[in-house]
Amino acid sequence: MAAGVPSSAHSWLNRGGIDGSVGTAMAVSRLELNLVRLLCRCEALAAEKRDPSEWRLEKYVAALEEMLQALKEQSSKPAPEMLNEYSRKVDFLKGMLEAEKLSSSSEKALANQFLAPGRTPTTTKERVPATKTVHLQTRARYTGEMRSELLGTVHLSPLPYALCTHRGLGADEKQSAAELDAVLQHHHNVQEKLAEEMLSLARSLKNNTLAAQNVIKQDNQTLSHSLKMADQNFEKLKTESERLEQHAKKSVNWLLWIVLIFVCFIFISMILFIRIFPKLK
């Protein structure tokens, strides 16, 4: 027994739950046998007309989840196909409980439409999987509630579990299924309209994005051209600066030589002047 199983589920399992027709092979572990027993009990509770304050089914489903997780972690776990079937049935029961907590009948019917019941019977006594029968029952009940809300009619309660198992869908259930299909088709049309509007907005956003991308691309090209021209102007300015520097150096050299020659000329001229014109007495 997995940890965390409610005491009510534990006591029910200790009493045997169902008869010994469930899994007589020696390869079936005790945990798997208890899981199957509790699963059958949950399916039976789900098929019954429950009081809104009924709490056992929710606790049992929580215990099923813990037992299934423990079964997956065991070394001698069953075949993957069986584990997938157990998970499918537990998820169905959990989804059914979550759908019952929704406020409107249309939301319940829509949530129930997406539930996937089990593919194989839980016990050898079942001809049709119990979860499939529960699925049909809940779908008929939610469809009747929707019809009552829309048309103001009185909806009869679903057929009992055993009667529904043998008779299947009746005329009322077929009509309810047709009404449910109409409601689902309406929701589908609304979703398609919203999808078309979102697609139109996405196309508009794409066009605006492409236009902005083209503008940014042109700005990048203009900026690249400006940077290229600035680099060329910088190189030209650098070349001209070097030439001007060389020219200035040459001019300074010639001027220096001219000044030196001029100074020498003045010096020699003064000496000659002094020699030619003696000092007056």
Side-chain angles (χ1 to χ4, degrees):
M1 176 73 67
V5 178
S7 58
S8 57
H10 183 73
S11 60
W12 185 86
L13 289 173
N14 289 335
R15 292 197 304 268
I18 60 175
D19 56 19
S21 61
V22 182
T24 57
M26 295 300 294
V28 178
S29 64
R30 181 177 181 83
L31 179 59
E32 183 180 0
L33 184 62
N34 290 336
L35 185 141
V36 174
R37 288 176 175 173
L38 186 57
L39 180 59
C40 291
R41 179 58 177 166
C42 290
E43 291 171 349
L45 285 176
E48 297 174 357
K49 186 177 181 181
R50 302 185 310 278
D51 189 81
S53 60
E54 176 65 38
W55 55 269
R56 290 181 299 170
L57 182 57
E58 187 172 356
K59 296 296 183 181
Y60 287 175
V61 172
L64 277 177
E65 289 183 311
E66 296 180 2
M67 295 171 67
L68 181 60
Q69 183 63 31
L71 185 62
K72 291 179 179 179
E73 296 175 355
Q74 273 191 348
S75 57
S76 58
K77 56 186 177 183
E81 294 79 7
M82 291 299 300
L83 283 176
N84 292 336
E85 185 66 17
Y86 293 152
S87 300
R88 188 182 181 90
K89 293 179 180 180
V90 173
D91 292 340
F92 170 80
L93 294 172
K94 184 179 179 181
M96 185 195 68
L97 291 175
E98 292 177 353
E100 290 179 352
K101 297 178 181 178
L102 297 176
S103 57
S104 64
S105 57
S106 59
E107 293 178 351
K108 294 179 181 179
L110 186 61
N112 181 264
Q113 187 71 16
F114 292 103
L115 295 179
R119 297 188 180 95
T120 59
T122 306
T123 64
T124 56
K125 290 184 177 182
E126 298 177 359
R127 294 183 179 180
V128 180
T131 51
K132 186 175 182 180
T133 305
V134 173
H135 191 215
L136 295 176
Q137 281 184 290
T138 53
R139 185 174 69 176
R141 182 171 71 252
Y142 295 150
T143 305
E145 291 177 1
M146 290 173 56
R147 183 172 57 185
S148 300
E149 291 179 359
L150 295 175
L151 304 179
T153 58
V154 178
H155 174 62
L156 298 178
S157 60
L159 295 175
Y161 172 72
L163 188 60
C164 186
T165 304
H166 293 286
R167 292 186 179 181
L169 287 176
D172 292 339
E173 293 178 350
K174 291 181 179 179
Q175 182 180 359
S176 300
E179 293 175 356
L180 176 60
D181 292 338
V183 174
L184 293 177
Q185 184 64 32
H186 173 70
H187 286 289
H188 181 68
N189 295 335
V190 173
Q191 291 177 358
E192 285 186 349
K193 185 177 180 181
L194 292 176
E196 290 177 357
E197 293 179 357
M198 292 178 64
L199 183 60
S200 177
L201 292 175
R203 289 175 179 172
S204 177
L205 180 61
K206 181 180 179 182
N207 293 333
N208 294 335
T209 304
L210 291 176
Q213 184 178 1
N214 292 332
V215 172
I216 294 174
K217 187 177 181 180
Q218 293 177 358
D219 292 342
N220 289 335
Q221 291 177 353
T222 304
L223 181 60
S224 300
H225 181 70
S226 301
L227 291 175
K228 186 176 180 181
M229 293 297 296
D231 291 338
Q232 292 178 356
N233 293 335
F234 179 75
E235 293 294 334
K236 290 181 180 179
L237 181 61
K238 184 178 179 181
T239 303
E240 294 298 329
S241 298
E242 292 177 354
R243 291 178 58 187
L244 181 61
E245 185 178 357
Q246 293 177 0
H247 182 70
K249 289 180 180 179
K250 292 179 180 179
S251 300
V252 171
N253 291 335
W254 282 107
L255 182 61
L256 180 61
W257 283 108
I258 292 172
V259 172
L260 289 175
I261 293 172
F262 181 74
V263 171
C264 292
F265 176 76
I266 296 297
F267 180 74
I268 295 172
S269 299
M270 289 297 294
I271 293 175
L272 292 176
F273 182 77
I274 294 172
R275 293 290 182 181
I276 295 173
F277 300 99
K279 184 178 181 181
L280 296 178
K281 296 181 180 180

